[in-house]
């Protein structure tokens, strides 16, 4: 009843704002909350919860009693890009990625 989403192209700080909304909620309620959340990470996190739910269904768990037991974001590798600046200089742009882990449990 576990699923991982790796290399999500959203900064971990922004993804944590989304996952804090659904921690401890029932699966159906969590999916409904994410459906109406206007943030970049809400759709991938919703798909992750559905994937964890299907993993639980394949092991024979009762899907109606599932809730989001544990969900957390770890930092993934940073993509480094460079932007030209004045007087021949360049500055680094960090494009951060996230690893999201979701664990569902039965009530």
């Amino acid at each position: 009843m576990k699923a991982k989403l790796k290399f999500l192209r959203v900064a971990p700080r922004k993804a944590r704002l989304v996952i804090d909304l659904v921690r401890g909620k029932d699966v159906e309620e969590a999916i409904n909350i994410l459906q109406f959340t206007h943030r970049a990470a809400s759709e991938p996190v919703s798909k992750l919860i559905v994937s964890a739910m299907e993993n639980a269904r394949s092991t024979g768990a009762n899907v109606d009693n599932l809730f989001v037991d544990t969900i957390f974001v770890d930092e993934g590798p940073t993509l480094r890009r460079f932007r030209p600046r004045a007087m021949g200089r360049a500055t680094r742009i960090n494009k951060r990625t996230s690893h999201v882990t979701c664990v569902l449990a039965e009530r």
Side-chain angles (χ1 to χ4, degrees):
M1 285 139 28
K2 185 178 187 180
K4 286 185 180 180
L5 170 61
K6 298 180 87 174
F7 305 105
L8 173 65
R9 260 297 290 120
V10 174
R13 185 173 175 177
K14 294 179 181 181
R16 284 185 188 109
L17 293 172
V18 173
I19 66 163
D20 288 342
L21 297 172
V22 297
R23 188 177 287 118
K25 303 273 195 303
D26 289 333
V27 170
E28 294 297 326
E29 185 182 357
I31 293 169
N32 284 336
I33 289 170
L34 292 172
Q35 185 178 358
F36 295 106
T37 302
H38 298 294
R39 290 208 168 257
S42 62
E43 184 183 354
V45 170
S46 177
K47 288 182 177 183
L48 176 70
I49 292 173
V50 170
S51 175
M53 184 175 69
E54 292 301 322
N55 291 344
R57 178 177 287 149
S58 68
T59 60
N62 187 1
V63 180
D64 297 330
N65 296 334
L66 290 177
F67 73 102
V68 181
D69 183 30
T70 310
I71 187 166
F72 58 90
V73 176
D74 291 326
E75 192 170 343
T78 300
L79 302 173
R80 292 179 178 89
R81 300 293 179 258
F82 289 91
R83 179 170 210 87
R85 302 309 292 258
M87 295 164 60
R89 293 185 175 91
T91 57
R92 193 166 78 183
I93 306 291
N94 291 325
K95 305 229 177 230
R96 301 184 187 277
T97 60
S98 304
H99 297 325
V100 186
T101 305
C102 177
V103 179
L104 303 181
E106 282 192 75
R107 290 235 152 121

